[in-house]
mmCIF file of all heavy atoms in Angstrom:
data_model
loop_
_atom_site.group_PDB
_atom_site.id
_atom_site.type_symbol
_atom_site.label_atom_id
_atom_site.label_comp_id
_atom_site.label_asym_id
_atom_site.label_seq_id
_atom_site.Cartn_x
_atom_site.Cartn_y
_atom_site.Cartn_z
ATOM 1 N N MET K 1 -1.033 8.371 10.303
ATOM 2 C CA MET K 1 -1.254 8.067 8.878
ATOM 3 C C MET K 1 -1.677 6.621 8.761
ATOM 4 O O MET K 1 -1.126 5.736 9.395
ATOM 5 C CB MET K 1 0.061 8.328 8.181
ATOM 6 C CG MET K 1 0.061 7.885 6.720
ATOM 7 S SD MET K 1 1.643 8.217 5.871
ATOM 8 C CE MET K 1 1.331 9.801 5.187
ATOM 9 N N LYS K 2 -2.702 6.409 7.949
ATOM 10 C CA LYS K 2 -3.201 5.031 7.678
ATOM 11 C C LYS K 2 -3.182 4.786 6.167
ATOM 12 O O LYS K 2 -3.375 5.707 5.388
ATOM 13 C CB LYS K 2 -4.578 4.870 8.256
ATOM 14 C CG LYS K 2 -4.589 4.983 9.751
ATOM 15 C CD LYS K 2 -5.901 4.687 10.306
ATOM 16 C CE LYS K 2 -5.907 4.884 11.809
ATOM 17 N NZ LYS K 2 -6.462 3.882 12.566
ATOM 18 N N ALA K 3 -2.926 3.548 5.804
ATOM 19 C CA ALA K 3 -2.961 3.103 4.444
ATOM 20 C C ALA K 3 -4.024 2.075 4.244
ATOM 21 O O ALA K 3 -4.268 1.249 5.127
ATOM 22 C CB ALA K 3 -1.583 2.562 3.998
ATOM 23 N N TYR K 4 -4.671 2.125 3.044
ATOM 24 C CA TYR K 4 -5.724 1.151 2.728
ATOM 25 C C TYR K 4 -5.548 0.784 1.240
ATOM 26 O O TYR K 4 -5.324 1.660 0.429
ATOM 27 C CB TYR K 4 -7.074 1.816 2.984
ATOM 28 C CG TYR K 4 -8.195 0.954 2.450
ATOM 29 C CD1 TYR K 4 -8.614 -0.205 3.130
ATOM 30 C CD2 TYR K 4 -8.884 1.256 1.273
ATOM 31 C CE1 TYR K 4 -9.626 -0.997 2.657
ATOM 32 C CE2 TYR K 4 -9.902 0.490 0.789
ATOM 33 C CZ TYR K 4 -10.296 -0.656 1.460
ATOM 34 O OH TYR K 4 -11.297 -1.449 1.002
ATOM 35 N N VAL K 5 -5.727 -0.513 0.952
ATOM 36 C CA VAL K 5 -5.666 -0.977 -0.418
ATOM 37 C C VAL K 5 -7.083 -1.451 -0.749
ATOM 38 O O VAL K 5 -7.628 -2.331 -0.067
ATOM 39 C CB VAL K 5 -4.651 -2.126 -0.620
ATOM 40 C CG1 VAL K 5 -4.672 -2.601 -2.059
ATOM 41 C CG2 VAL K 5 -3.260 -1.706 -0.190
ATOM 42 N N ASP K 6 -7.656 -0.933 -1.818
ATOM 43 C CA ASP K 6 -8.934 -1.339 -2.336
ATOM 44 C C ASP K 6 -8.817 -2.686 -3.045
ATOM 45 O O ASP K 6 -8.196 -2.698 -4.151
ATOM 46 C CB ASP K 6 -9.554 -0.296 -3.242
ATOM 47 C CG ASP K 6 -10.995 -0.612 -3.671
ATOM 48 O OD1 ASP K 6 -11.325 -1.800 -3.738
ATOM 49 O OD2 ASP K 6 -11.745 0.368 -3.931
ATOM 50 N N PRO K 7 -9.278 -3.794 -2.539
ATOM 51 C CA PRO K 7 -9.070 -5.082 -3.144
ATOM 52 C C PRO K 7 -9.775 -5.212 -4.497
ATOM 53 O O PRO K 7 -9.379 -6.019 -5.304
ATOM 54 C CB PRO K 7 -9.630 -6.084 -2.121
ATOM 55 C CG PRO K 7 -10.609 -5.290 -1.281
ATOM 56 C CD PRO K 7 -10.065 -3.838 -1.287
ATOM 57 N N ASP K 8 -10.812 -4.359 -4.712
ATOM 58 C CA ASP K 8 -11.510 -4.464 -5.973
ATOM 59 C C ASP K 8 -10.723 -3.749 -7.118
ATOM 60 O O ASP K 8 -10.922 -4.115 -8.274
ATOM 61 C CB ASP K 8 -12.853 -3.815 -5.882
ATOM 62 C CG ASP K 8 -13.781 -4.600 -4.943
ATOM 63 O OD1 ASP K 8 -13.707 -5.846 -4.874
ATOM 64 O OD2 ASP K 8 -14.621 -3.937 -4.282
ATOM 65 N N LEU K 9 -9.851 -2.824 -6.738
ATOM 66 C CA LEU K 9 -8.993 -2.168 -7.754
ATOM 67 C C LEU K 9 -7.658 -2.784 -7.903
ATOM 68 O O LEU K 9 -7.063 -2.707 -9.024
ATOM 69 C CB LEU K 9 -8.839 -0.695 -7.337
ATOM 70 C CG LEU K 9 -10.102 0.195 -7.409
ATOM 71 C CD1 LEU K 9 -9.771 1.581 -6.880
ATOM 72 C CD2 LEU K 9 -10.671 0.231 -8.768
ATOM 73 N N CYS K 10 -7.113 -3.385 -6.875
ATOM 74 C CA CYS K 10 -5.764 -3.913 -6.924
ATOM 75 C C CYS K 10 -5.581 -4.983 -7.968
ATOM 76 O O CYS K 10 -6.419 -5.884 -8.072
ATOM 77 C CB CYS K 10 -5.381 -4.476 -5.534
ATOM 78 S SG CYS K 10 -3.718 -5.150 -5.491
ATOM 79 N N THR K 11 -4.518 -4.849 -8.782
ATOM 80 C CA THR K 11 -4.252 -5.857 -9.846
ATOM 81 C C THR K 11 -3.135 -6.877 -9.395
ATOM 82 O O THR K 11 -2.828 -7.735 -10.165
ATOM 83 C CB THR K 11 -3.873 -5.166 -11.128
ATOM 84 O OG1 THR K 11 -2.674 -4.400 -10.886
ATOM 85 C CG2 THR K 11 -4.977 -4.282 -11.672
ATOM 86 N N GLY K 12 -2.615 -6.672 -8.222
ATOM 87 C CA GLY K 12 -1.599 -7.604 -7.748
ATOM 88 C C GLY K 12 -0.266 -7.384 -8.413
ATOM 89 O O GLY K 12 0.559 -8.341 -8.463
ATOM 90 N N CYS K 13 0.077 -6.242 -8.832
ATOM 91 C CA CYS K 13 1.368 -5.970 -9.500
ATOM 92 C C CYS K 13 2.578 -6.018 -8.533
ATOM 93 O O CYS K 13 3.662 -6.115 -8.966
ATOM 94 C CB CYS K 13 1.324 -4.658 -10.263
ATOM 95 S SG CYS K 13 1.395 -3.182 -9.191
ATOM 96 N N GLU K 14 2.310 -5.893 -7.262
ATOM 97 C CA GLU K 14 3.347 -5.976 -6.194
ATOM 98 C C GLU K 14 4.287 -4.774 -6.124
ATOM 99 O O GLU K 14 5.271 -4.789 -5.433
ATOM 100 C CB GLU K 14 4.170 -7.278 -6.288
ATOM 101 C CG GLU K 14 3.326 -8.532 -6.158
ATOM 102 C CD GLU K 14 4.124 -9.822 -6.110
ATOM 103 O OE1 GLU K 14 5.272 -9.782 -5.671
ATOM 104 O OE2 GLU K 14 3.558 -10.816 -6.504
ATOM 105 N N LEU K 15 3.961 -3.697 -6.867
ATOM 106 C CA LEU K 15 4.811 -2.510 -6.797
ATOM 107 C C LEU K 15 4.851 -1.928 -5.407
ATOM 108 O O LEU K 15 5.933 -1.588 -4.910
ATOM 109 C CB LEU K 15 4.286 -1.494 -7.775
ATOM 110 C CG LEU K 15 5.063 -0.149 -7.867
ATOM 111 C CD1 LEU K 15 6.522 -0.411 -8.325
ATOM 112 C CD2 LEU K 15 4.391 0.830 -8.762
ATOM 113 N N CYS K 16 3.663 -1.837 -4.737
ATOM 114 C CA CYS K 16 3.642 -1.270 -3.377
ATOM 115 C C CYS K 16 4.516 -2.105 -2.424
ATOM 116 O O CYS K 16 5.178 -1.501 -1.540
ATOM 117 C CB CYS K 16 2.230 -1.107 -2.910
ATOM 118 S SG CYS K 16 1.314 -2.674 -2.804
ATOM 119 N N VAL K 17 4.492 -3.387 -2.572
ATOM 120 C CA VAL K 17 5.266 -4.239 -1.688
ATOM 121 C C VAL K 17 6.758 -3.999 -1.906
ATOM 122 O O VAL K 17 7.546 -3.965 -0.931
ATOM 123 C CB VAL K 17 4.918 -5.751 -1.955
ATOM 124 C CG1 VAL K 17 5.761 -6.633 -1.086
ATOM 125 C CG2 VAL K 17 3.437 -5.979 -1.673
ATOM 126 N N SER K 18 7.171 -3.821 -3.135
ATOM 127 C CA SER K 18 8.613 -3.508 -3.398
ATOM 128 C C SER K 18 9.003 -2.163 -2.923
ATOM 129 O O SER K 18 10.125 -1.953 -2.494
ATOM 130 C CB SER K 18 8.931 -3.738 -4.861
ATOM 131 O OG SER K 18 8.308 -2.835 -5.677
ATOM 132 N N VAL K 19 8.085 -1.174 -3.010
ATOM 133 C CA VAL K 19 8.407 0.220 -2.580
ATOM 134 C C VAL K 19 8.352 0.344 -1.061
ATOM 135 O O VAL K 19 9.187 1.061 -0.498
ATOM 136 C CB VAL K 19 7.433 1.200 -3.266
ATOM 137 C CG1 VAL K 19 7.614 2.579 -2.683
ATOM 138 C CG2 VAL K 19 7.639 1.213 -4.786
ATOM 139 N N CYS K 20 7.387 -0.298 -0.402
ATOM 140 C CA CYS K 20 7.199 -0.085 1.013
ATOM 141 C C CYS K 20 6.868 -1.433 1.714
ATOM 142 O O CYS K 20 5.650 -1.610 2.114
ATOM 143 C CB CYS K 20 6.173 0.970 1.281
ATOM 144 S SG CYS K 20 6.004 1.407 3.010
ATOM 145 N N PRO K 21 7.756 -2.333 1.854
ATOM 146 C CA PRO K 21 7.415 -3.640 2.496
ATOM 147 C C PRO K 21 7.120 -3.512 3.974
ATOM 148 O O PRO K 21 6.620 -4.500 4.580
ATOM 149 C CB PRO K 21 8.691 -4.486 2.262
ATOM 150 C CG PRO K 21 9.784 -3.451 2.071
ATOM 151 C CD PRO K 21 9.140 -2.280 1.406
ATOM 152 N N GLU K 22 7.406 -2.376 4.560
ATOM 153 C CA GLU K 22 7.097 -2.128 5.980
ATOM 154 C C GLU K 22 5.570 -2.012 6.197
ATOM 155 O O GLU K 22 5.068 -2.147 7.330
ATOM 156 C CB GLU K 22 7.753 -0.844 6.501
ATOM 157 C CG GLU K 22 9.283 -0.870 6.410
ATOM 158 C CD GLU K 22 9.732 -0.328 5.053
ATOM 159 O OE1 GLU K 22 8.950 0.025 4.175
ATOM 160 O OE2 GLU K 22 10.980 -0.274 4.875
ATOM 161 N N VAL K 23 4.807 -1.729 5.133
ATOM 162 C CA VAL K 23 3.381 -1.493 5.242
ATOM 163 C C VAL K 23 2.571 -2.446 4.407
ATOM 164 O O VAL K 23 1.500 -2.884 4.841
ATOM 165 C CB VAL K 23 3.062 -0.016 4.857
ATOM 166 C CG1 VAL K 23 1.568 0.240 4.810
ATOM 167 C CG2 VAL K 23 3.783 0.960 5.750
ATOM 168 N N PHE K 24 3.066 -2.757 3.232
ATOM 169 C CA PHE K 24 2.263 -3.564 2.258
ATOM 170 C C PHE K 24 2.800 -4.965 2.116
ATOM 171 O O PHE K 24 4.057 -5.197 2.128
ATOM 172 C CB PHE K 24 2.224 -2.872 0.911
ATOM 173 C CG PHE K 24 1.684 -1.491 0.979
ATOM 174 C CD1 PHE K 24 2.524 -0.401 0.995
ATOM 175 C CD2 PHE K 24 0.321 -1.281 1.032
ATOM 176 C CE1 PHE K 24 1.990 0.903 1.054
ATOM 177 C CE2 PHE K 24 -0.195 -0.010 1.152
ATOM 178 C CZ PHE K 24 0.656 1.095 1.131
ATOM 179 N N ALA K 25 1.876 -5.904 1.870
ATOM 180 C CA ALA K 25 2.218 -7.350 1.649
ATOM 181 C C ALA K 25 1.191 -7.912 0.697
ATOM 182 O O ALA K 25 0.093 -7.345 0.542
ATOM 183 C CB ALA K 25 2.288 -8.099 2.966
ATOM 184 N N MET K 26 1.519 -9.023 0.107
ATOM 185 C CA MET K 26 0.564 -9.693 -0.777
ATOM 186 C C MET K 26 -0.216 -10.680 0.078
ATOM 187 O O MET K 26 0.306 -11.392 0.921
ATOM 188 C CB MET K 26 1.230 -10.399 -1.910
ATOM 189 C CG MET K 26 1.965 -9.484 -2.862
ATOM 190 S SD MET K 26 0.867 -8.281 -3.660
ATOM 191 C CE MET K 26 -0.205 -9.275 -4.693
ATOM 192 N N GLU K 27 -1.544 -10.751 -0.144
ATOM 193 C CA GLU K 27 -2.393 -11.720 0.462
ATOM 194 C C GLU K 27 -3.203 -12.312 -0.641
ATOM 195 O O GLU K 27 -4.121 -11.663 -1.247
ATOM 196 C CB GLU K 27 -3.309 -10.999 1.492
ATOM 197 C CG GLU K 27 -4.079 -11.948 2.360
ATOM 198 C CD GLU K 27 -4.781 -11.207 3.486
ATOM 199 O OE1 GLU K 27 -4.090 -10.892 4.504
ATOM 200 O OE2 GLU K 27 -5.975 -10.944 3.325
ATOM 201 N N ASP K 28 -2.905 -13.566 -0.911
ATOM 202 C CA ASP K 28 -3.447 -14.248 -2.107
ATOM 203 C C ASP K 28 -2.920 -13.451 -3.332
ATOM 204 O O ASP K 28 -1.755 -13.309 -3.503
ATOM 205 C CB ASP K 28 -4.946 -14.380 -2.086
ATOM 206 C CG ASP K 28 -5.414 -15.268 -0.916
ATOM 207 O OD1 ASP K 28 -4.726 -16.273 -0.630
ATOM 208 O OD2 ASP K 28 -6.430 -14.942 -0.296
ATOM 209 N N ASP K 29 -3.827 -12.869 -4.122
ATOM 210 C CA ASP K 29 -3.368 -12.183 -5.349
ATOM 211 C C ASP K 29 -3.544 -10.690 -5.310
ATOM 212 O O ASP K 29 -3.502 -10.008 -6.346
ATOM 213 C CB ASP K 29 -4.034 -12.800 -6.610
ATOM 214 C CG ASP K 29 -5.529 -12.715 -6.535
ATOM 215 O OD1 ASP K 29 -6.074 -12.382 -5.480
ATOM 216 O OD2 ASP K 29 -6.194 -12.887 -7.576
ATOM 217 N N VAL K 30 -3.812 -10.152 -4.105
ATOM 218 C CA VAL K 30 -3.940 -8.675 -3.985
ATOM 219 C C VAL K 30 -3.088 -8.200 -2.832
ATOM 220 O O VAL K 30 -2.733 -8.956 -1.926
ATOM 221 C CB VAL K 30 -5.403 -8.248 -3.778
ATOM 222 C CG1 VAL K 30 -6.306 -8.550 -4.918
ATOM 223 C CG2 VAL K 30 -5.953 -8.819 -2.473
ATOM 224 N N ALA K 31 -2.764 -6.903 -2.897
ATOM 225 C CA ALA K 31 -1.937 -6.303 -1.820
ATOM 226 C C ALA K 31 -2.861 -5.887 -0.629
ATOM 227 O O ALA K 31 -4.076 -5.618 -0.867
ATOM 228 C CB ALA K 31 -1.225 -5.067 -2.369
ATOM 229 N N VAL K 32 -2.261 -5.877 0.521
ATOM 230 C CA VAL K 32 -2.959 -5.380 1.701
ATOM 231 C C VAL K 32 -2.005 -4.509 2.544
ATOM 232 O O VAL K 32 -0.746 -4.710 2.426
ATOM 233 C CB VAL K 32 -3.430 -6.509 2.627
ATOM 234 C CG1 VAL K 32 -4.537 -7.353 1.935
ATOM 235 C CG2 VAL K 32 -2.354 -7.397 3.111
ATOM 236 N N ALA K 33 -2.560 -3.534 3.268
ATOM 237 C CA ALA K 33 -1.728 -2.791 4.196
ATOM 238 C C ALA K 33 -1.874 -3.571 5.498
ATOM 239 O O ALA K 33 -2.937 -3.659 6.097
ATOM 240 C CB ALA K 33 -2.312 -1.393 4.352
ATOM 241 N N PHE K 34 -0.767 -4.177 5.968
ATOM 242 C CA PHE K 34 -0.837 -5.092 7.140
ATOM 243 C C PHE K 34 -0.619 -4.427 8.433
ATOM 244 O O PHE K 34 -0.571 -5.113 9.449
ATOM 245 C CB PHE K 34 0.055 -6.326 6.912
ATOM 246 C CG PHE K 34 1.533 -5.993 6.916
ATOM 247 C CD1 PHE K 34 2.257 -5.944 8.078
ATOM 248 C CD2 PHE K 34 2.223 -5.701 5.738
ATOM 249 C CE1 PHE K 34 3.597 -5.635 8.121
ATOM 250 C CE2 PHE K 34 3.544 -5.405 5.711
ATOM 251 C CZ PHE K 34 4.256 -5.383 6.920
ATOM 252 N N VAL K 35 -0.452 -3.129 8.491
ATOM 253 C CA VAL K 35 -0.297 -2.388 9.726
ATOM 254 C C VAL K 35 -1.479 -1.453 9.884
ATOM 255 O O VAL K 35 -1.989 -0.918 8.923
ATOM 256 C CB VAL K 35 1.047 -1.611 9.802
ATOM 257 C CG1 VAL K 35 2.237 -2.505 9.788
ATOM 258 C CG2 VAL K 35 1.159 -0.592 8.698
ATOM 259 N N SER K 36 -1.960 -1.254 11.095
ATOM 260 C CA SER K 36 -3.103 -0.349 11.288
ATOM 261 C C SER K 36 -2.705 1.124 11.167
ATOM 262 O O SER K 36 -3.468 1.946 10.657
ATOM 263 C CB SER K 36 -3.743 -0.607 12.657
ATOM 264 O OG SER K 36 -2.822 -0.434 13.675
ATOM 265 N N THR K 37 -1.474 1.417 11.593
ATOM 266 C CA THR K 37 -0.952 2.796 11.467
ATOM 267 C C THR K 37 0.414 2.727 10.856
ATOM 268 O O THR K 37 1.244 1.935 11.248
ATOM 269 C CB THR K 37 -0.861 3.479 12.821
ATOM 270 O OG1 THR K 37 -2.156 3.513 13.421
ATOM 271 C CG2 THR K 37 -0.350 4.921 12.736
ATOM 272 N N VAL K 38 0.655 3.563 9.827
ATOM 273 C CA VAL K 38 1.966 3.531 9.147
ATOM 274 C C VAL K 38 3.004 4.043 10.086
ATOM 275 O O VAL K 38 2.850 5.165 10.649
ATOM 276 C CB VAL K 38 1.858 4.432 7.861
ATOM 277 C CG1 VAL K 38 3.223 4.501 7.148
ATOM 278 C CG2 VAL K 38 0.839 3.883 6.862
ATOM 279 N N PRO K 39 4.106 3.315 10.296
ATOM 280 C CA PRO K 39 5.209 3.828 11.129
ATOM 281 C C PRO K 39 5.744 5.154 10.582
ATOM 282 O O PRO K 39 5.800 5.330 9.395
ATOM 283 C CB PRO K 39 6.227 2.713 11.093
ATOM 284 C CG PRO K 39 5.512 1.519 10.575
ATOM 285 C CD PRO K 39 4.369 2.011 9.756
ATOM 286 N N ALA K 40 6.150 5.995 11.458
ATOM 287 C CA ALA K 40 6.698 7.328 11.066
ATOM 288 C C ALA K 40 7.787 7.204 10.061
ATOM 289 O O ALA K 40 7.859 7.986 9.116
ATOM 290 C CB ALA K 40 7.144 8.116 12.276
ATOM 291 N N ASP K 41 8.669 6.234 10.258
ATOM 292 C CA ASP K 41 9.844 6.092 9.309
ATOM 293 C C ASP K 41 9.447 5.490 7.963
ATOM 294 O O ASP K 41 10.306 5.433 7.071
ATOM 295 C CB ASP K 41 10.985 5.306 9.951
ATOM 296 C CG ASP K 41 10.600 3.854 10.314
ATOM 297 O OD1 ASP K 41 9.375 3.559 10.407
ATOM 298 O OD2 ASP K 41 11.495 3.071 10.510
ATOM 299 N N ALA K 42 8.220 5.091 7.801
ATOM 300 C CA ALA K 42 7.729 4.493 6.555
ATOM 301 C C ALA K 42 6.713 5.385 5.843
ATOM 302 O O ALA K 42 6.221 5.002 4.764
ATOM 303 C CB ALA K 42 7.164 3.140 6.752
ATOM 304 N N GLU K 43 6.389 6.553 6.385
ATOM 305 C CA GLU K 43 5.356 7.432 5.818
ATOM 306 C C GLU K 43 5.675 7.868 4.418
ATOM 307 O O GLU K 43 4.830 7.845 3.530
ATOM 308 C CB GLU K 43 5.103 8.617 6.717
ATOM 309 C CG GLU K 43 4.399 8.271 7.999
ATOM 310 C CD GLU K 43 4.085 9.473 8.855
ATOM 311 O OE1 GLU K 43 4.535 10.607 8.544
ATOM 312 O OE2 GLU K 43 3.406 9.293 9.886
ATOM 313 N N GLU K 44 6.942 8.242 4.194
ATOM 314 C CA GLU K 44 7.327 8.705 2.866
ATOM 315 C C GLU K 44 7.238 7.553 1.789
ATOM 316 O O GLU K 44 6.711 7.788 0.748
ATOM 317 C CB GLU K 44 8.769 9.270 2.901
ATOM 318 C CG GLU K 44 9.139 9.932 1.576
ATOM 319 C CD GLU K 44 10.517 10.595 1.627
ATOM 320 O OE1 GLU K 44 10.898 11.098 2.710
ATOM 321 O OE2 GLU K 44 11.165 10.649 0.599
ATOM 322 N N SER K 45 7.746 6.391 2.211
ATOM 323 C CA SER K 45 7.712 5.269 1.232
ATOM 324 C C SER K 45 6.259 4.788 1.011
ATOM 325 O O SER K 45 5.903 4.345 -0.096
ATOM 326 C CB SER K 45 8.620 4.155 1.630
ATOM 327 O OG SER K 45 8.260 3.609 2.862
ATOM 328 N N ALA K 46 5.410 4.846 2.015
ATOM 329 C CA ALA K 46 4.008 4.504 1.836
ATOM 330 C C ALA K 46 3.317 5.434 0.905
ATOM 331 O O ALA K 46 2.540 5.020 0.008
ATOM 332 C CB ALA K 46 3.288 4.448 3.202
ATOM 333 N N GLN K 47 3.607 6.720 0.988
ATOM 334 C CA GLN K 47 3.060 7.675 0.115
ATOM 335 C C GLN K 47 3.559 7.446 -1.304
ATOM 336 O O GLN K 47 2.831 7.588 -2.263
ATOM 337 C CB GLN K 47 3.333 9.111 0.567
ATOM 338 C CG GLN K 47 2.680 10.164 -0.245
ATOM 339 C CD GLN K 47 1.141 10.099 -0.232
ATOM 340 O OE1 GLN K 47 0.557 10.194 0.842
ATOM 341 N NE2 GLN K 47 0.515 9.986 -1.361
ATOM 342 N N ASP K 48 4.863 7.128 -1.443
ATOM 343 C CA ASP K 48 5.403 6.836 -2.763
ATOM 344 C C ASP K 48 4.714 5.644 -3.391
ATOM 345 O O ASP K 48 4.451 5.639 -4.580
ATOM 346 C CB ASP K 48 6.932 6.565 -2.635
ATOM 347 C CG ASP K 48 7.742 7.781 -2.405
ATOM 348 O OD1 ASP K 48 7.281 8.905 -2.637
ATOM 349 O OD2 ASP K 48 8.926 7.649 -2.016
ATOM 350 N N ALA K 49 4.455 4.622 -2.575
ATOM 351 C CA ALA K 49 3.761 3.453 -3.100
ATOM 352 C C ALA K 49 2.358 3.832 -3.583
ATOM 353 O O ALA K 49 1.918 3.379 -4.666
ATOM 354 C CB ALA K 49 3.639 2.374 -2.018
ATOM 355 N N ALA K 50 1.654 4.644 -2.870
ATOM 356 C CA ALA K 50 0.334 5.115 -3.282
ATOM 357 C C ALA K 50 0.407 5.912 -4.596
ATOM 358 O O ALA K 50 -0.365 5.722 -5.506
ATOM 359 C CB ALA K 50 -0.342 5.949 -2.172
ATOM 360 N N ASP K 51 1.418 6.806 -4.623
ATOM 361 C CA ASP K 51 1.561 7.656 -5.821
ATOM 362 C C ASP K 51 1.943 6.845 -7.068
ATOM 363 O O ASP K 51 1.535 7.203 -8.175
ATOM 364 C CB ASP K 51 2.659 8.700 -5.617
ATOM 365 C CG ASP K 51 2.242 9.742 -4.551
ATOM 366 O OD1 ASP K 51 1.040 9.847 -4.217
ATOM 367 O OD2 ASP K 51 3.148 10.413 -4.056
ATOM 368 N N GLN K 52 2.638 5.707 -6.874
ATOM 369 C CA GLN K 52 3.087 4.932 -8.028
ATOM 370 C C GLN K 52 2.123 3.843 -8.400
ATOM 371 O O GLN K 52 2.259 3.211 -9.460
ATOM 372 C CB GLN K 52 4.445 4.296 -7.681
ATOM 373 C CG GLN K 52 5.557 5.293 -7.586
ATOM 374 C CD GLN K 52 6.894 4.619 -7.269
ATOM 375 O OE1 GLN K 52 7.222 3.589 -7.874
ATOM 376 N NE2 GLN K 52 7.651 5.160 -6.330
ATOM 377 N N CYS K 53 1.088 3.581 -7.616
ATOM 378 C CA CYS K 53 0.112 2.507 -7.867
ATOM 379 C C CYS K 53 -0.515 2.770 -9.251
ATOM 380 O O CYS K 53 -1.141 3.812 -9.451
ATOM 381 C CB CYS K 53 -0.926 2.421 -6.817
ATOM 382 S SG CYS K 53 -2.155 1.138 -7.152
ATOM 383 N N PRO K 54 -0.353 1.836 -10.179
ATOM 384 C CA PRO K 54 -0.872 2.086 -11.567
ATOM 385 C C PRO K 54 -2.390 2.128 -11.669
ATOM 386 O O PRO K 54 -2.874 2.697 -12.628
ATOM 387 C CB PRO K 54 -0.309 0.889 -12.358
ATOM 388 C CG PRO K 54 -0.007 -0.150 -11.388
ATOM 389 C CD PRO K 54 0.330 0.562 -10.102
ATOM 390 N N VAL K 55 -3.099 1.631 -10.657
ATOM 391 C CA VAL K 55 -4.513 1.639 -10.725
ATOM 392 C C VAL K 55 -5.183 2.479 -9.620
ATOM 393 O O VAL K 55 -6.371 2.428 -9.357
ATOM 394 C CB VAL K 55 -5.149 0.225 -10.754
ATOM 395 C CG1 VAL K 55 -4.760 -0.543 -12.017
ATOM 396 C CG2 VAL K 55 -4.721 -0.564 -9.524
ATOM 397 N N GLU K 56 -4.307 3.203 -8.877
ATOM 398 C CA GLU K 56 -4.741 4.116 -7.811
ATOM 399 C C GLU K 56 -5.573 3.372 -6.761
ATOM 400 O O GLU K 56 -6.590 3.869 -6.299
ATOM 401 C CB GLU K 56 -5.460 5.285 -8.347
ATOM 402 C CG GLU K 56 -4.576 6.111 -9.276
ATOM 403 C CD GLU K 56 -5.307 7.342 -9.848
ATOM 404 O OE1 GLU K 56 -6.493 7.553 -9.597
ATOM 405 O OE2 GLU K 56 -4.602 8.095 -10.616
ATOM 406 N N ALA K 57 -5.150 2.171 -6.384
ATOM 407 C CA ALA K 57 -5.882 1.317 -5.409
ATOM 408 C C ALA K 57 -5.531 1.646 -3.972
ATOM 409 O O ALA K 57 -6.207 1.150 -3.081
ATOM 410 C CB ALA K 57 -5.562 -0.132 -5.671
ATOM 411 N N ILE K 58 -4.501 2.494 -3.738
ATOM 412 C CA ILE K 58 -4.029 2.747 -2.385
ATOM 413 C C ILE K 58 -4.487 4.146 -1.944
ATOM 414 O O ILE K 58 -4.312 5.105 -2.636
ATOM 415 C CB ILE K 58 -2.507 2.682 -2.313
ATOM 416 C CG1 ILE K 58 -2.046 1.294 -2.753
ATOM 417 C CG2 ILE K 58 -2.012 3.011 -0.910
ATOM 418 C CD1 ILE K 58 -0.481 1.158 -2.894
ATOM 419 N N SER K 59 -5.087 4.188 -0.731
ATOM 420 C CA SER K 59 -5.472 5.435 -0.142
ATOM 421 C C SER K 59 -4.599 5.659 1.092
ATOM 422 O O SER K 59 -4.392 4.731 1.857
ATOM 423 C CB SER K 59 -6.922 5.366 0.320
ATOM 424 O OG SER K 59 -7.780 5.122 -0.765
ATOM 425 N N ILE K 60 -4.126 6.878 1.293
ATOM 426 C CA ILE K 60 -3.346 7.247 2.452
ATOM 427 C C ILE K 60 -4.091 8.364 3.117
ATOM 428 O O ILE K 60 -4.454 9.355 2.537
ATOM 429 C CB ILE K 60 -1.942 7.744 2.056
ATOM 430 C CG1 ILE K 60 -1.150 6.711 1.282
ATOM 431 C CG2 ILE K 60 -1.165 8.174 3.281
ATOM 432 C CD1 ILE K 60 -0.650 5.510 2.064
ATOM 433 N N GLU K 61 -4.376 8.175 4.428
ATOM 434 C CA GLU K 61 -5.073 9.190 5.209
ATOM 435 C C GLU K 61 -4.268 9.596 6.412
ATOM 436 O O GLU K 61 -3.601 8.784 7.024
ATOM 437 C CB GLU K 61 -6.429 8.685 5.647
ATOM 438 C CG GLU K 61 -7.347 8.319 4.490
ATOM 439 C CD GLU K 61 -8.651 7.659 4.934
ATOM 440 O OE1 GLU K 61 -8.822 7.439 6.164
ATOM 441 O OE2 GLU K 61 -9.471 7.399 4.063
#
């Protein structure tokens, strides 16, 4: 599973970072997925972060 944050859509609300800090972090004023592959124990929280993103900037594959 991989996570990606579209920097053009991200508003920097930090919700994903609070939901899944194992995968997401803030870089300047936008969120980034700082791991290349989502760890198995963080897959559920990464998906929750994507589902809760208010601007749908997170893609999970």
